């Protein structure tokens, strides 16, 4: 499964593409941070980021797009820029009939590190490890975009069957698989009690 992950931002927008096989092995395809200057008019900034996302979509032809879910922060200008770029990305995906998934930062952190409150350094280190990279992708927007793509693939289509072998999985992948199994079992138990 090829997934395009986008860490939306108006000044810096992380865009990463990964291929994830059914055994959850992930391979880096491309990563870039698109930028727009704060002194440009908003419509030009949106167009600049949109052109960059469009080029990546065209070049790599992903099967799905994963975005960070916009959530309330104290800085309204940050929320607006993030929401605007998210809307642009969703529109571009919709024009290609690509499924779009929104993941919260804590979902991504839990998928990548096994801990929903991991810091950026921990996420970056695990992204590098999962992808077999010598260095953590920089800036953090790049690592975050790759983390989003990996998270989505693992949650939606890159996962092995529940009775598959855990051999070769990273500790984070094993933790994620264990959490998936536990939630399936507890969900089934709740349904039986009804």
């Amino acid at each position: 499964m090829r997934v395009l992950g986008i860490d939306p931002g108006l000044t810096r927008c992380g865009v990463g593409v990964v291929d994830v096989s059914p055994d959850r092995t992930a391979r880096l395809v491309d990563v870039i941070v698109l930028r727009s200057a704060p002194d440009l008019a908003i419509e030009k900034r949106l167009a600049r980021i949109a052109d960059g996302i469009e080029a990546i979509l065209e070049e790599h032809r992903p099967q799905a797009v994963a975005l960070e879910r916009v959530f309330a922060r104290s800085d309204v200008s940050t929320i607006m820029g993030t929401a605007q770029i998210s809307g642009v990305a969703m529109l571009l995906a919709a024009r290609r009939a690509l499924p779009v998934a929104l993941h919260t930062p804590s979902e991504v952190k839990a998928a990548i590190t096994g801990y929903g409150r991991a810091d950026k350094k921990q996420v970056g280190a695990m992204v590098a490890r999962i992808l077999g990279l010598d260095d953590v992708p920089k800036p953090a927007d790049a690592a975050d975009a790759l983390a989003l793509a990996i998270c989505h693939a693992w949650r939606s289509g890159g996962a092995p069957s529940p009775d598959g072998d855990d051999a070769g999985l990273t500790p984070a992948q094993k933790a994620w698989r264990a959490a998936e199994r536990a939630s399936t079992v507890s969900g089934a138990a709740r349904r039986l009690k009804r």
Side-chain angles (χ1 to χ4, degrees), residues 95-133:
R95 287 184 173 163
R96 287 174 170 75
L98 293 172
V100 174
L102 303 174
H103 299 285
T104 66
S106 59
E107 287 172 337
V108 175
K109 290 173 184 178
I112 300 302
T113 70
Y115 178 58
R117 292 188 175 164
D119 62 28
K120 285 195 177 287
K121 187 175 179 182
Q122 292 168 316
V123 171
M126 281 306 295
V127 165
R129 184 172 177 187
I130 291 164
L131 295 174
L133 306 175

Side-chain angles (χ1 to χ4, degrees), residues 30-97:
D30 197 3
V31 66
I32 189 170
V33 175
L34 305 170
R35 299 171 190 272
S36 73
D39 58 344
L40 288 176
I42 186 68
E43 65 275 12
K44 291 183 179 178
R45 296 182 77 187
L46 292 171
R48 183 180 195 101
I49 301 292
D51 289 346
I53 294 171
E54 184 94 51
I56 298 286
L57 285 166
E58 190 62 34
E59 180 179 354
H60 297 298
R61 304 204 180 269
Q63 295 163 287
V65 175
L67 287 157
E68 183 175 287
R69 184 181 298 276
V70 177
F71 60 97
R73 297 182 195 167
S74 57
D75 184 357
V76 176
S77 65
T78 302
I79 295 171
M80 288 302 296
T82 301
Q84 289 165 331
I85 294 301
S86 294
V88 166
M90 286 188 270
L91 173 64
L92 294 172
R95 287 184 173 163
R96 287 174 170 75

Side-chain angles (χ1 to χ4, degrees), residues 128-176:
R129 184 172 177 187
I130 291 164
L131 295 174
L133 306 175
D134 292 333
D135 298 308
V136 174
K138 300 236 192 278
D141 311 272
D144 290 348
L146 293 168
L148 278 154
I150 295 165
C151 170
H152 180 70
W154 284 357
R155 294 187 78 186
S156 65
S161 67
D163 12 309
D165 184 14
D166 282 354
L169 298 181
T170 67
Q173 291 168 327
K174 288 177 184 175
W176 185 255

